[in-house]
Amino acid sequence: MNSQERVIELLITGYSHDGKGVGRYAGKPVFVAGALRGELVRVEFGRERKGIINGQLLEIIEAAPERVTPVCSVFSSCGGCQLQHLDYQAQLQMKREIVSNALQRIGGFKDIDVHLTLGMAEPWAYRNKGHFRVSKAEGNISLGFYEEASHKQVQESCRHLFSQAVVELLDSLPDLLEQHQVPIASDVDAGIRHIMVRESSSRGEILMVLILSEPLNYDFSAIAREICKNNPRVVGVCTNINPRKAGPILGRDIEIVYG
C-alpha cells in the first residue's frame, strides 16, 4: 500500500464483535472505531495483521441516522465506553446481531432465533463497580479511566456510568488525598495507584479499596474515617497491595482499614 492509498473513503457495512464499524478495501476487512453502519467515512489505514486492517476515523462524510451526540465530554478519548455515539435502541439491535453472527460464524449454528436484547428504561448509572487510576501532575491529584488502548489517564472521573453517590464520592477524593498528604504512585515513587469502589445494588452500601504499588509506612485510618463520615453510604475502606503496573488491578494482599 503506497502513501496515497493510506487515506481513503470507506463505506461501513457492518460491525465487529466489539462494536467497531467494518468496511472492505481490496477484499480485506477494515475495522474503524467510532464509525457506524451505513456511513461513508474518511479513514487512515493503520496496522494490518493477518489480512485485517485497522483504520483511524478522520471524517464522517455521510452520517448514519442512528448517530447521536455522546453525553460524555471525554467519550472520544476515554476507554470506559464504546457506543455512546449510537442511539440506544440501535445499540440493542447491534448487540443482538453480534450474538447471532457469533453463533453462525464461530459456532456453526444455523437458523438460531436470537431474541431481542432486553434494554433498560434509563441506560445510565448502571455499573456497581469501578476502578480508577490515581495520578498527580503539577501538584493536582486526579482520578480517571485510561484512554482507549493506552496507559494514559483521562483527567476526569466518569459521571455517567455510576450512581450519584459514587460520583460525589469520587469528586471529594482528590482534595482529601491532598489534605492527608497521601502518597500517590508514579514511575519513581510508591503510593496509591488505583482506587476501586463497589456499590451494593440492593442496599446502596459502598466499599472502597485503595490499591497501593507496595506496602507504605502510612496510617490510612484518619482518611478512611473521614471518607466514611463525609459519605454515610461508604461502609468500609480497605488497602490492597499490587506491585504490578499492568494486568489485574487487585493484588492478593488486602487489609480492612476502617468499617
Side-chain angles (χ1 to χ4, degrees), residues 34-237:
L36 301 178
R37 181 169 54 199
E39 292 187 330
L40 182 64
V41 296
R42 183 168 286 106
V43 175
E44 181 178 6
F45 286 164
R47 185 179 64 175
E48 179 177 348
R49 184 179 180 184
K50 296 182 179 180
I52 296 175
I53 302 171
N54 286 297
Q56 179 181 357
L57 179 63
L58 300 180
E59 180 187 358
I60 301 167
I61 300 171
E62 295 179 10
E66 298 84 7
R67 178 173 286 277
V68 295
T69 301
V71 172
C72 184
S73 62
V74 295
F75 166 72
S76 61
S77 60
C78 180
C81 301
Q82 287 77 39
L83 300 178
Q84 283 193 26
H85 59 303
L86 180 62
D87 173 77
Y88 184 57
Q89 293 304 316
Q91 290 183 33
L92 300 180
Q93 179 61 29
M94 174 200 284
K95 293 173 182 179
R96 180 190 186 190
E97 293 176 8
I98 288 171
V99 173
S100 179
N101 290 338
L103 289 170
Q104 294 181 43
R105 297 179 183 178
I106 301 174
F109 297 100
K110 304 296 182 184
D111 301 322
I112 295 291
D113 183 19
V114 178
H115 292 188
L116 295 174
T117 308
L118 298 178
M120 295 179 286
E122 176 58 44
W124 298 107
Y126 62 89
R127 289 192 187 178
N128 73 338
K129 185 184 79 169
H131 47 77
F132 304 86
R133 179 73 168 92
V134 185
S135 66
K136 188 171 186 177
E138 299 180 355
N140 297 317
I141 297 174
S142 62
L143 284 74
F145 289 152
Y146 285 128
E147 290 187 5
E148 184 74 19
S150 79
H151 282 139
K152 183 179 179 182
Q153 182 181 327
V154 176
Q155 300 299 314
E156 181 179 322
S157 58
C158 183
R159 298 181 172 275
H160 306 287
L161 301 182
F162 304 93
S163 71
Q164 186 61 32
V166 170
V167 171
E168 292 175 358
L169 172 62
L170 295 173
D171 283 346
S172 71
L173 288 177
D175 285 344
L176 279 177
L177 293 170
E178 184 63 40
Q179 291 169 15
H180 287 265
Q181 298 182 340
V182 179
I184 306 300
S186 67
D187 292 337
V188 295
D189 297 318
I192 294 180
R193 181 176 284 135
H194 295 92
I195 291 179
M196 186 179 81
V197 294
R198 182 153 223 161
E199 181 180 25
S200 167
S201 57
S202 60
R203 301 178 64 175
E205 296 176 337
I206 298 172
L207 178 68
M208 177 185 295
V209 183
L210 310 175
I211 303 167
L212 316 178
S213 60
E214 61 183 71
L216 297 177
N217 183 22
Y218 182 90
D219 185 357
F220 286 95
S221 58
I223 187 173
R225 286 195 299 269
E226 188 167 355
I227 288 171
C228 293
K229 177 183 177 181
N230 295 345
N231 303 272
R233 288 173 59 177
V234 180
V235 297
V237 178

